[in-house]
Amino acid sequence: MTQETPVFLKEYLDLHAADLADRLQRLDIEEARELLRQLPPEKAAAALAEVDRERLAGLLEGFDAHQLSGLLSSLPPEDAADLLQEVSAGTRREVLAELSPESAEGLRALMQYPEDTVGGVMSNRFIALRTDMTVEEALQVLRAQAREEYPEDIAYLYVTDANRRLVGIVSLRDLVFRRPDRRISEIMNADVKFVRAETDREELARLFEHYHYPGLPVVDAEGRLVGVVKASDVLEVVTREATEDMQLMVGLSGEERALSPWFYSVKRRLPWLYINLATAFLAAFVVGLFEDTIARWTALAIFLPVIAGQGGNAGMQTLTVIIRDLALGELAPQDGRRALFKELLVALLNGLAVGIVVGLIGWWWKGSPALGLVAGVAMVLNQLAAAVAGVWIPLGLRAVGLDPALASSILLTTVTDVAGFFFFLGLAWLGLHWSGL
Amino acid sequence: MTQETPVFLKEYLDLHAADLADRLQRLDIEEARELLRQLPPEKAAAALAEVDRERLAGLLEGFDAHQLSGLLSSLPPEDAADLLQEVSAGTRREVLAELSPESAEGLRALMQYPEDTVGGVMSNRFIALRTDMTVEEALQVLRAQAREEYPEDIAYLYVTDANRRLVGIVSLRDLVFRRPDRRISEIMNADVKFVRAETDREELARLFEHYHYPGLPVVDAEGRLVGVVKASDVLEVVTREATEDMQLMVGLSGEERALSPWFYSVKRRLPWLYINLATAFLAAFVVGLFEDTIARWTALAIFLPVIAGQGGNAGMQTLTVIIRDLALGELAPQDGRRALFKELLVALLNGLAVGIVVGLIGWWWKGSPALGLVAGVAMVLNQLAAAVAGVWIPLGLRAVGLDPALASSILLTTVTDVAGFFFFLGLAWLGLHWSGL
């Protein structure tokens, strides 16, 4: 290879790391690895920090421990820790051994937190002042750290006691304009909001969504300051959690992308399709129970998709509202009953509005008022079933410790299919029975 | 009323504005208005700024123009502007007349931007430095503004030229530690990222999701600095857009909550249920075309929900991935074809995997290999139709200028029901025809 910059590289050098990461995801894995080797290490590292998990492990395999430690040393610790989680335990040990003891220690501290906790999201780069410092001393600390690679987007500084416990907060602005001989303890705000490192990532998202914090300090179980989370970090969490909720509902992994490899999509979607198949046969079994009824009154088959489809749509409306409110923390546990009553009322009214139309169409199309009556009543009953399922499925999933969205639309349509067919065909059977046909 | 603090008020006074807003949403409208009147104006105003739109107008009706102007004057201008948008044009004029000319001018400037644009999200409280200032002069400007009600979470300052055009950015940290006689033009970073006030809110969300900005300056069409957006503001936008996408898919308004009033839910959901009904009858019409076939082979009716349900589930998987990637800006226009081919391949493989099982069950359950063959082939074909619909529906909606999520699950299940019934019953008709039954 020559020393010249290869032509193909030029177009990549000016890209933002996030855009470079997009290219790394779209190229063949071999081309992507080659591109990474050609890039300056800081560029390569910054781009890797933005690559999706599913691609990341494959890309990192292209590097040995020495090259990896070089890449990681140019990254903020929280990003370096995320990358390190993706390599094998053996490589991880080798990489940590290559790094400076302080860097390795910082990374180990970050990696002890599961990635779905606040600790997995936070940065450990923050400036902690002591209560007994003067404003002048604090500014000296700041000045010294400004030369290191500390983030420049600092608006707040945190104050800790002799045991590193968080006791206050000072804005940089206030610090700059106070008299140099004032003590930090005098100018700090002691009513400081914080979050625990063990807290679930979803709960972190809810906190920021509800209170609009620009950032929050993070403390460990002993109340010691161990990190900070910024709104821009939480924005990523919010995006990921929303994607996860939408995807889990329909039987996706929560992390799939439109251009994920086909074998990934097949492997992750197929199990849910089989589960859906099992539930579909449950519905088919109900239809099967009434095969004689259908044989005597074939027009019933025509209305099956109408009854089931309307129940499914109404149920999805309820389900979606409930799942989203749960994710946003807007539905407290004691609200479940109130939400159920509301949904039942809505289902009754919408069911009547739709049921009457279905009944009239049934009457007019097939000339049978009986068919219209059966279809209309089944429609109302199925809307009520859909409302109950739409509220209970997510609350039930959460009650047993699962994600409220998990496969919820598959479960919901099972209920609305089974209940819809049962109500409709059952009423038709009763009708045939009474009329003595 | 006595001068004492009413007992019921005490529990509210210590609440964060966001929590107070939750209470205002759950109380009767009359109780909520009474509570607002009892609260200190700053508390009441801060809580109102957090109340959902749908409740807000009703709450604001409880105040006259004079009271409103008192409430608004304690709010950040961007929040005050949001509240003012919710009152009648007449009241708005009265309120603006009560405010100081500068406040009124600032609010008018903010209100000129539609709420779904960056201008509708941004704050107009920022500190602009001039290129020809020295560091010392800049710090004096800052010190003067620190006494006013400017936000204290400032990490960056923006630099403008004589025509108020954005030309650079300086971090507060850098400003504090540079020599006092340096010019701002020497220490600023001239490569400043910005966003236009007219830009769509969704695009703003994508920018922050992709590049993780802590904040961005906002410029008007002439490049003049008119505002700033922070990551914590965009976090709200991201949350709202995700809620909207999830809700629009199933025929919800995009803004509904589990505890929204029942009449709101009925009014907003019912039109979509009627549209779903029309599409369901389209599917029923297809079944009706084959009524004779079903009459001769009743077992077909049993498999109808299986074929349609599997197509619906697989299609929802494709649809959800595409809609989410579009929202996140991860699917470029030229990726549509690639995504379609991938989805067709996935559909073929999953369709075969599911179709073989369905075929075997059909054979075993009804003892008819013909039924199994027809069901299995129809399953594969319907999975392919679901893939096409899952990709084309959101891309098509976007192409005609609609939200890619709008009623997309209703459209999708129309395709998978109609196609599924047509393939299945059509193949069965052919089978009966050939076999000469």
Side-chain angles (χ1 to χ4, degrees):
Chain A
M1 202 179 303
T2 68
Q3 285 300 313
E4 280 180 280
T5 303
V7 176
F8 91 96
L9 198 55
K10 283 191 180 138
E11 61 166 311
Y12 293 112
L13 282 176
D14 290 333
L15 287 181
H16 185 286
D19 296 321
L20 208 42
D22 281 354
R23 308 301 165 96
L24 289 174
Q25 312 230 127
R26 281 150 195 265
L27 290 171
D28 277 352
I29 186 84
E30 279 308 327
E31 288 175 330
R33 283 187 192 143
E34 181 58 29
L35 171 58
L36 279 172
R37 275 190 289 268
Q38 306 271 346
L39 288 170
E42 314 81 52
K43 266 278 186 220
L48 280 170
E50 303 278 341
V51 167
D52 286 345
R53 162 88 53 83
E54 129 210 340
R55 188 97 224 233
L56 192 54
L59 289 176
L60 292 175
E61 277 169 23
F63 296 95
D64 63 28
H66 178 69
Q67 292 166 321
L68 279 178
S69 68
L71 286 176
L72 297 192
S73 58
S74 72
L75 282 181
E78 63 272 23
D79 291 338
D82 288 345
L83 292 193
L84 256 191
Q85 309 267 31
E86 295 301 316
V87 303
S88 69
T91 310
R92 197 179 307 149
R93 267 193 305 276
E94 289 179 59
V95 172
L96 287 169
E98 295 246 359
L99 294 169
S100 72
E102 310 85 67
S103 298
E105 195 40 56
L107 289 181
R108 278 198 199 91
L110 282 173
M111 284 191 293
Q112 70 177 304
Y113 297 104
E115 62 157 353
D116 57 355
T117 64
V118 172
V121 176
M122 73 183 184
S123 160
N124 62 358
R125 294 173 303 152
F126 55 83
I127 295 179
L129 305 174
R130 292 273 298 276
T131 44
D132 52 358
M133 281 178 176
T134 61
V135 166
E136 189 171 13
E137 286 165 346
L139 284 171
Q140 275 162 15
V141 168
L142 261 169
R143 187 187 296 264
Q145 298 208 329
R147 290 201 206 92
E148 296 175 30
E149 282 168 22
Y150 270 72
E152 60 171 4
D153 60 335
I154 286 180
Y156 293 99
L157 305 157
Y158 300 105
V159 186
T160 53
D161 67 11
N163 296 315
R164 289 174 44 218
R165 275 196 288 261
L166 178 69
V167 293
I169 182 172
V170 179
S171 75
L172 177 55
R173 196 198 62 177
D174 278 358
L175 195 66
V176 171
F177 297 121
R178 291 304 186 118
R179 271 182 34 210
D181 59 342
R182 294 289 293 278
R183 297 265 159 205
I184 294 297
S185 56
E186 297 172 281
I187 67 166
M188 75 181 190
N189 180 356
D191 180 24
V192 51
K193 300 276 183 293
F194 60 87
V195 63
R196 289 271 297 273
E198 296 82 15
T199 301
D200 192 85
R201 195 168 66 179
E202 272 189 73
E203 178 58 27
L204 178 74
R206 276 194 284 269
L207 272 177
F208 273 75
E209 284 165 339
H210 192 62
Y211 295 113
H212 319 309
Y213 298 122
L216 274 184
V218 182
V219 302
D220 67 11
E222 280 75 43
R224 287 188 300 247
L225 182 62
V226 292
V228 290
V229 276
K230 286 176 296 179
S232 52
D233 304 322
V234 180
L235 201 145
E236 277 189 82
V237 174
V238 167
T239 304
R240 209 180 319 168
E241 294 289 337
T243 304
E244 204 177 281
D245 274 356
M246 290 179 75
Q247 291 202 356
L248 289 184
M249 280 178 78
V250 297
L252 290 164
S253 68
E255 294 175 352
E256 190 173 327
R257 294 293 160 82
L259 299 181
S260 293
W262 61 267
F263 48 85
Y264 175 91
S265 300
V266 169
K267 197 175 74 180
R268 305 299 292 265
R269 295 186 197 175
L270 189 54
W272 293 112
L273 288 176
Y274 275 128
I275 288 175
N276 191 61
L277 187 64
T279 71
F281 270 111
L282 197 64
F285 174 75
V286 173
V287 179
L289 291 178
F290 296 95
E291 197 171 341
D292 290 344
T293 310
I294 296 172
R296 289 158 64 194
W297 199 359
T298 324
L300 291 174
I302 297 173
F303 280 78
L304 286 178
V306 177
I307 310 292
Q310 282 297 99
N313 189 189
M316 283 299 288
Q317 290 179 332
T318 300
L319 183 72
T320 303
V321 168
I322 300 288
I323 284 177
R324 193 60 184 148
D325 266 32
L326 284 176
L328 297 178
E330 306 232 344
L331 195 69
Q334 71 273 19
D335 291 333
R337 184 182 298 261
R338 194 167 152 191
L340 179 63
F341 286 139
K342 180 207 142 178
E343 289 298 329
L344 283 172
L345 178 60
V346 171
L348 182 67
L349 295 168
N350 281 344
L352 286 171
V354 169
I356 289 169
V357 173
V358 170
L360 291 173
I361 293 177
W363 185 358
W364 164 79
W365 189 6
K366 295 292 164 187
S368 159
L371 179 65
L373 185 66
V374 166
V377 173
M379 181 66 79
V380 177
L381 293 176
N382 201 25
Q383 298 270 317
L384 293 171
V388 174
V391 175
W392 279 3
I393 286 170
L395 293 179
L397 286 167
R398 193 178 60 165
V400 297
L402 293 171
D403 191 301
L406 186 68
S408 53
S409 85
I410 293 171
L411 294 171
L412 179 103
T413 50
T414 308
V415 173
T416 52
D417 280 3
V418 167
F421 296 150
F422 182 78
F423 291 138
F424 180 55
L425 296 174
L427 287 169
W429 179 85
L430 279 179
L432 287 176
H433 207 71
W434 281 337
S435 67
L437 285 171
Chain B
M1 204 177 306
T2 68
Q3 285 301 311
E4 281 179 278
T5 304
V7 175
F8 91 96
L9 199 55
K10 282 189 180 141
E11 62 166 311
Y12 293 112
L13 283 176
D14 290 333
L15 287 180
H16 185 285
D19 297 320
L20 207 42
D22 281 354
R23 308 300 164 96
L24 289 175
Q25 313 232 128
R26 281 149 194 266
L27 290 171
D28 276 353
I29 187 84
E30 279 307 328
E31 288 176 331
R33 283 187 192 142
E34 181 57 29
L35 172 58
L36 279 172
R37 275 189 290 269
Q38 306 272 346
L39 288 170
E42 315 81 54
K43 266 278 186 218
L48 280 170
E50 302 278 340
V51 168
D52 286 345
R53 161 89 53 83
E54 132 209 338
R55 187 98 226 233
L56 192 55
L59 288 177
L60 291 175
E61 278 169 23
F63 297 96
D64 63 27
H66 179 68
Q67 291 165 322
L68 278 178
S69 68
L71 286 176
L72 296 191
S73 59
S74 72
L75 282 181
E78 63 273 22
D79 291 338
D82 288 346
L83 291 194
L84 256 192
Q85 309 267 31
E86 295 302 316
V87 302
S88 69
T91 311
R92 196 179 308 148
R93 266 194 304 276
E94 289 177 58
V95 172
L96 287 170
E98 295 246 0
L99 294 169
S100 72
E102 310 85 67
S103 296
E105 193 41 55
L107 289 181
R108 277 197 200 93
L110 283 173
M111 283 191 293
Q112 73 177 305
Y113 297 105
E115 62 156 355
D116 58 353
T117 63
V118 171
V121 176
M122 72 184 185
S123 159
N124 61 359
R125 295 173 304 152
F126 55 83
I127 297 179
L129 305 174
R130 293 272 298 274
T131 44
D132 52 358
M133 280 177 176
T134 62
V135 166
E136 190 171 10
E137 285 164 346
L139 284 171
Q140 276 162 14
V141 168
L142 261 169
R143 187 186 296 263
Q145 299 208 329
R147 289 200 206 95
E148 297 174 31
E149 282 168 23
Y150 269 73
E152 61 171 6
D153 60 335
I154 287 180
Y156 292 99
L157 304 157
Y158 299 104
V159 186
T160 52
D161 67 11
N163 295 316
R164 291 176 38 221
R165 275 195 289 261
L166 178 70
V167 294
I169 181 171
V170 178
S171 75
L172 177 55
R173 196 197 63 177
D174 278 357
L175 194 67
V176 171
F177 298 121
R178 291 303 188 120
R179 272 183 32 210
D181 60 340
R182 296 288 294 276
R183 297 265 159 206
I184 293 297
S185 56
E186 297 172 280
I187 69 165
M188 75 181 191
N189 179 356
D191 180 24
V192 52
K193 301 277 182 294
F194 60 87
V195 63
R196 289 271 298 273
E198 296 80 15
T199 301
D200 192 84
R201 195 168 66 177
E202 272 190 73
E203 177 59 26
L204 178 74
R206 277 195 284 270
L207 272 177
F208 274 75
E209 284 166 338
H210 191 63
Y211 295 113
H212 319 308
Y213 298 122
L216 275 184
V218 183
V219 302
D220 67 10
E222 280 75 43
R224 288 188 299 247
L225 182 62
V226 292
V228 290
V229 276
K230 287 177 296 181
S232 53
D233 304 322
V234 180
L235 201 146
E236 276 189 82
V237 174
V238 167
T239 304
R240 207 180 321 168
E241 294 289 339
T243 304
E244 202 177 280
D245 275 357
M246 289 178 76
Q247 291 202 356
L248 289 183
M249 280 177 78
V250 297
L252 289 165
S253 68
E255 293 175 353
E256 190 174 327
R257 293 294 158 82
L259 299 181
S260 293
W262 61 268
F263 48 84
Y264 175 91
S265 300
V266 169
K267 196 174 74 178
R268 305 299 291 265
R269 294 185 196 176
L270 190 54
W272 293 112
L273 287 177
Y274 276 128
I275 289 175
N276 191 59
L277 187 64
T279 71
F281 270 111
L282 197 64
F285 174 75
V286 173
V287 179
L289 292 177
F290 295 96
E291 198 172 340
D292 291 344
T293 309
I294 296 172
R296 289 158 65 195
W297 199 357
T298 325
L300 292 174
I302 297 173
F303 279 77
L304 286 178
V306 178
I307 310 291
Q310 282 298 100
N313 189 190
M316 282 299 288
Q317 290 179 332
T318 300
L319 183 72
T320 303
V321 169
I322 300 288
I323 284 176
R324 193 60 185 148
D325 267 33
L326 285 176
L328 297 178
E330 306 232 343
L331 196 69
Q334 70 274 18
D335 291 332
R337 185 181 297 262
R338 197 169 150 190
L340 179 63
F341 286 139
K342 180 209 142 178
E343 289 297 330
L344 283 172
L345 178 60
V346 171
L348 182 66
L349 294 168
N350 281 344
L352 286 171
V354 169
I356 288 169
V357 172
V358 169
L360 291 174
I361 292 176
W363 185 359
W364 164 80
W365 188 4
K366 295 291 162 190
S368 159
L371 179 64
L373 184 67
V374 165
V377 173
M379 182 65 80
V380 176
L381 293 176
N382 201 26
Q383 298 271 317
L384 293 171
V388 174
V391 175
W392 279 1
I393 286 170
L395 293 179
L397 287 167
R398 194 178 59 165
V400 297
L402 293 171
D403 192 301
L406 186 69
S408 53
S409 84
I410 293 171
L411 294 170
L412 179 102
T413 50
T414 307
V415 173
T416 52
D417 280 2
V418 167
F421 296 149
F422 181 78
F423 290 138
F424 180 55
L425 297 173
L427 286 170
W429 178 85
L430 279 178
L432 287 175
H433 207 72
W434 282 337
S435 66
L437 284 171

